[in-house]
């Protein structure tokens, strides 16, 4: 094959990989538009319905590092095609689910297929392309995730409005998957690491069960009473089992260093300072991803935008994250991963801090959220992947998979903490209303204000007869929302600051 033909094939392969990443990332956002519809169709509560997301998260977390290792061992093209097929089968099973239990099982299968797509694509870039191109391409993959997060809910709403059936949200994956499978078999070259060692079955079991235990501990946290739930028996049991399993994994992989075994997570990675710091940064970036879930709620509860229009105001932070991912990738190519993280985390810190104190109008929100998105996008694109792959050597798939899991853990923890902070911030609402409004008005109307959730409170206030007092109560609500959500933004500011500090703890060896 000539050099020109090889470059052409690599570009075609990247197009297929990007389409696969877009499909799997889109599915994360597209389902958010249909949660209420799905819950109604199965006649289940919101708490029960949340397991459709929880099981998907668990499946992704468990499969990601394993698929990354298998792709290194048996071939990235082969595993990519298998993942797409499994994702398509899972999507079909979800769409035809006759019961909610069947639906949950199908979502788990779908997650097992989606867990390795991004990792394999990233590993392919780090294996096939020269170093001066890797940052830009990894940034592009990060940008694709940004695009999917923006358009996912909108696509979901569009499909629901056209078909009035949530099933089509998953059926549309089938023709896309068929196209990816056909073109992938034609254009993606096979790449893998030459491995003659035995498979690390025990390490795989301990890693999978350890991740499962930690994720179950996280999902059993109670956002309405976070501190008490931290010491609840269910959380402590799963947390203890997870710690024990990871101690066992550490022991197994240490012993495997002297054996002819292809470790699922090499001991030298577990003792590599840069790699472990990168995992901590990955976890913190996961907490930043979770902020996307609450941006529409903030726009509605603080700025007074209707719920139907609130999602539109994510466009600034979403589009800026796409620009950030692309420019961050190019910056990695030119200056290095460490320098990129320093700049990106500083921008993100300024952005989240500005959201906490300055986003009091629609204009100021759009400006501050765009700054936030720029820094966030730069972090999510290339730099952490490059750091992890540099530490891993030939075991890129395993390293990227572990990084993805750490990010998934942060993404799973953060919503519970954010919800607790927001709910706690609204505890001052009723006392403020009683102090600020006439006693007669409060006694006549406060009983009509529902407090089961923040959204219910806002809607019940809007349903009160229009008056000066009702307008004052609405103003108190918006002011309370500013302080409540401020706690969440400050936590993200702190997470960005910690990422910035951790970059200075990396070994001084310049990583490019």
């Amino acid at each position: 094959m000539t050099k020109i033909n090889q470059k052409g094939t690599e570009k075609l392969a990247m197009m297929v990989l990007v389409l696969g990443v877009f499909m799997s990332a889109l599915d994360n956002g597209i389902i958010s538009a249909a949660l209420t519809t799905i819950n109604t169709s199965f006649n289940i509560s919101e708490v029960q319905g949340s397991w459709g997301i929880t099981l998907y998260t668990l499946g992704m977390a468990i499969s990601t590092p394993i698929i990354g290792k298998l792709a290194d061992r048996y071939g990235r093209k082969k595993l990519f095609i298998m993942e797409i097929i499994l994702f398509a089968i899972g999507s079909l099973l979800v769409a035809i689910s006759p019961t909610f239990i069947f639906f949950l099982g199908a979502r788990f299968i779908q997650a097992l297929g989606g867990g390795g797509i991004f990792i394999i694509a990233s590993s392919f870039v780090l294996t096939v392309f020269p170093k001066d191109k890797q940052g830009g391409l990894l940034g592009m993959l990060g940008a694709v995730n940004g695009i999917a997060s923006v358009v996912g809910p909108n696509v979901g709403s569009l499909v629901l409005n056209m078909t009035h059936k949530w099933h089509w949200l998953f059926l549309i994956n089938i023709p896309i998957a068929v196209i990816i499978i056909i073109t992938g078999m034609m254009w993606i070259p096979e790449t893998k690491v030459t491995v003659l060692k035995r498979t690390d079955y025990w390490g795989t079991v301990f890693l999978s069960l350890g991740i499962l235990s930690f994720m179950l501990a996280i999902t059993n946290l109670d956002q309405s009473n976070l501190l008490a739930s931290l010491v609840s028996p269910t959380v402590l049991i799963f947390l203890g089992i997870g710690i024990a399993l990871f101690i066992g994994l550490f022991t197994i992989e240490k012993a495997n260093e002297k054996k002819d075994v292809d470790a699922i997570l090499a001991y030298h990675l577990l003792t590599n300072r840069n790699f472990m710091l990168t995992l901590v940064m990955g976890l913190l970036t996961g907490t930043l991803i979770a902020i996307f879930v609450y941006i529409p709620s903030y726009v509605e509860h603080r700025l007074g935008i209707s719920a139907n229009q609130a999602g539109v105001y994510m466009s600034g932070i979403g589009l800026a994250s796409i620009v950030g991912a692309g420019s961050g990738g190019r910056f990695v190519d030119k200056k290095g991963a460490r320098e990129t993280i320093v700049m990106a985390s500083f921008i993100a810190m300024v952005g989240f801090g500005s959201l906490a104190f300055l986003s009091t109008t629609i204009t100021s929100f759009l400006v501050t959220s765009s700054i936030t998105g720029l820094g966030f996008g730069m972090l999510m694109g290339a730099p952490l992947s490059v750091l992890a792959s540099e530490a891993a050597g030939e075991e890129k798939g395993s390293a990227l998979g572990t990084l993805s899991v750490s990010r998934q853990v942060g993404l799973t923890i953060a919503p519970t903490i954010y919800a607790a902070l927001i709910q706690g911030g609204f505890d001052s609402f009723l006392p403020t209303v009683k102090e600020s409004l006439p006693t007669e008005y409060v006694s006549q109307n406060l009983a009509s204000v529902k407090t089961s959730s923040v959204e219910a409170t806002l809607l019940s206030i809007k349903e009160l007869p229009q008056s000066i007092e009702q307008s004052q109560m609405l103003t108190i609500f918006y002011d309370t929302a500013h302080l409540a959500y401020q706690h969440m933004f400050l936590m993200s500011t702190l997470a960005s600051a910690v990422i910035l500090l951790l970059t200075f703890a990396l070994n001084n060896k310049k990583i490019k």
Side-chain angles (χ1 to χ4, degrees):
M1 182 182 291
T2 66
K3 192 171 183 180
I4 295 177
N5 288 338
Q6 183 180 353
K7 288 184 177 180
T9 302
E10 290 172 354
K11 289 181 180 179
L12 291 173
M14 276 305 302
M15 289 174 58
V16 178
L17 293 168
V18 166
L19 182 58
V21 169
F22 182 78
M23 180 183 69
S24 61
L26 185 69
D27 196 75
N28 280 329
I30 204 172
I31 193 176
S32 64
L35 284 177
T36 302
T37 306
I38 292 172
N39 293 344
T40 302
S41 70
F42 288 119
N43 193 25
I44 56 174
S45 66
E46 291 181 354
V47 174
Q48 291 173 312
S50 67
W51 274 98
I53 296 176
T54 300
L55 274 178
Y56 191 84
T57 302
L58 288 172
M60 292 276 284
I62 292 170
S63 65
T64 297
I66 296 173
I67 296 301
K69 170 58 74 174
L70 292 177
D72 284 346
R73 184 182 182 95
Y74 296 108
R76 298 180 180 97
K77 173 180 178 178
K78 191 183 286 89
L79 265 294
F80 180 78
I81 298 298
M82 290 175 63
E83 283 287 275
I84 296 295
I85 292 173
L86 192 58
F87 185 83
I89 292 172
S91 298
L92 177 61
L93 292 175
V94 170
I96 63 173
S97 297
T99 65
F100 184 61
I101 298 299
F102 190 99
F103 173 85
L104 292 179
R107 282 286 285 169
F108 189 75
I109 292 172
Q110 191 185 29
L112 295 179
I117 294 174
F118 182 82
I119 300 307
I120 293 172
S122 300
S123 185
F124 179 85
V125 168
L126 292 168
T127 301
V128 173
F129 291 91
K131 285 191 175 182
D132 62 345
K133 300 291 184 183
Q134 291 174 3
L137 292 171
L138 289 172
M140 180 178 66
L141 291 176
V144 168
N145 274 314
I147 294 171
S149 67
V150 174
V151 304
N154 294 330
V155 171
S157 298
L158 178 63
V159 173
L160 279 177
N161 289 333
M162 291 176 60
T163 64
H164 305 289
K165 297 285 186 180
W166 62 264
H167 310 75
W168 284 101
L169 296 176
F170 301 96
L171 287 174
I172 60 175
N173 289 329
I174 309 303
I176 299 174
V178 171
I179 293 172
I180 294 173
I181 291 167
I182 294 173
T183 54
M185 293 178 69
M186 292 170 53
W187 295 333
I188 299 178
E190 186 60 280
T191 60
K192 61 181 178 180
V193 177
T194 302
V195 179
L196 299 177
K197 298 180 179 181
R198 292 184 289 111
T199 301
D200 183 13
Y201 294 110
W202 280 112
T204 302
V205 170
F206 271 68
L207 177 63
S208 301
L209 294 179
I211 293 171
L212 178 62
S213 297
F214 275 122
M215 298 295 279
L216 287 175
I218 293 168
T219 55
N220 276 287
L221 292 173
D222 182 2
Q223 65 186 40
S224 63
N225 198 358
L226 184 60
L227 293 178
S229 68
L230 281 172
V231 293
S232 66
T234 306
V235 173
L236 289 178
I237 289 172
F238 282 122
L239 192 60
I241 293 173
I243 292 173
L245 287 166
F246 272 95
I247 292 175
L249 174 67
F250 188 88
T251 304
I252 290 170
E253 301 307 3
K254 185 176 181 180
N256 283 339
E257 287 282 295
K258 301 177 181 179
K259 298 178 182 178
D260 189 32
V261 176
D262 180 26
I264 185 69
L265 187 58
Y267 180 74
H268 74 84
L269 288 179
L270 297 172
T271 55
N272 184 294
R273 182 180 180 181
N274 275 15
F275 182 71
M276 298 308 292
L277 288 173
T278 303
L279 293 187
V280 176
M281 293 183 200
L283 186 146
L284 292 171
T285 59
T287 67
L288 301 184
I289 297 173
I291 213 85
F292 278 87
V293 177
Y294 294 94
I295 292 295
S297 297
Y298 174 78
V299 171
E300 180 188 1
H301 298 158
R302 174 65 184 98
L303 303 178
I305 305 299
S306 67
N308 292 335
Q309 297 297 320
V312 176
Y313 290 83
M314 282 188 66
S315 299
I317 194 169
L319 293 173
S321 69
I322 295 169
V323 174
S327 58
R330 289 190 292 273
F331 200 81
V332 168
D333 290 336
K334 293 180 179 179
K335 299 294 184 180
R338 179 176 174 176
E339 290 75 7
T340 304
I341 296 172
V342 169
M343 180 171 62
S345 56
F346 179 78
I347 295 173
M349 184 174 64
V350 171
F352 283 115
S354 299
L355 279 172
F357 294 104
L358 303 178
S359 59
T360 55
T361 65
I362 292 175
T363 300
S364 62
F365 168 78
L366 290 174
V367 172
T368 54
S369 65
S370 295
I371 295 172
T372 304
L374 183 65
F376 169 83
M378 293 180 72
L379 278 174
M380 290 301 300
L384 294 182
S385 296
V386 171
L387 281 181
S389 66
E390 286 284 346
E394 291 187 343
E395 297 167 341
K396 293 178 174 60
S398 179
L400 292 174
T402 309
L403 173 62
S404 182
V405 170
S406 70
R407 187 170 283 158
Q408 195 69 48
V409 170
L411 178 57
T412 306
I413 294 173
T416 300
I417 298 175
Y418 291 158
L421 290 173
I422 294 169
Q423 192 65 48
F426 271 94
D427 288 344
S428 64
F429 172 69
L430 290 180
T432 304
V433 168
K434 292 176 182 178
E435 292 176 3
S436 305
L437 297 181
T439 304
E440 183 179 352
Y441 181 84
V442 170
S443 61
Q444 291 177 353
N445 295 278
L446 197 57
S448 302
V449 177
K450 300 175 183 177
T451 57
S452 56
S453 68
V454 175
E455 182 69 12
T457 301
L458 176 59
L459 293 177
S460 59
I461 293 173
K462 290 183 175 182
E463 290 173 357
L464 292 174
Q466 290 189 357
S467 64
I468 295 176
E469 291 79 8
Q470 187 257 5
S471 178
Q472 290 176 333
M473 190 184 296
L474 204 56
T475 300
I476 293 171
F477 178 91
Y478 292 143
D479 290 341
T480 304
H482 176 70
L483 295 175
Y485 282 91
Q486 187 180 72
H487 300 153
M488 177 184 71
F489 292 133
L490 286 175
M491 180 179 169
S492 299
T493 305
L494 178 61
S496 302
V498 172
I499 293 173
L500 176 61
L501 292 174
L502 288 177
T503 58
F504 297 107
L506 293 168
N507 291 335
N508 292 327
K509 181 181 177 181
K510 197 170 185 179
I511 300 173
K512 285 188 177 181

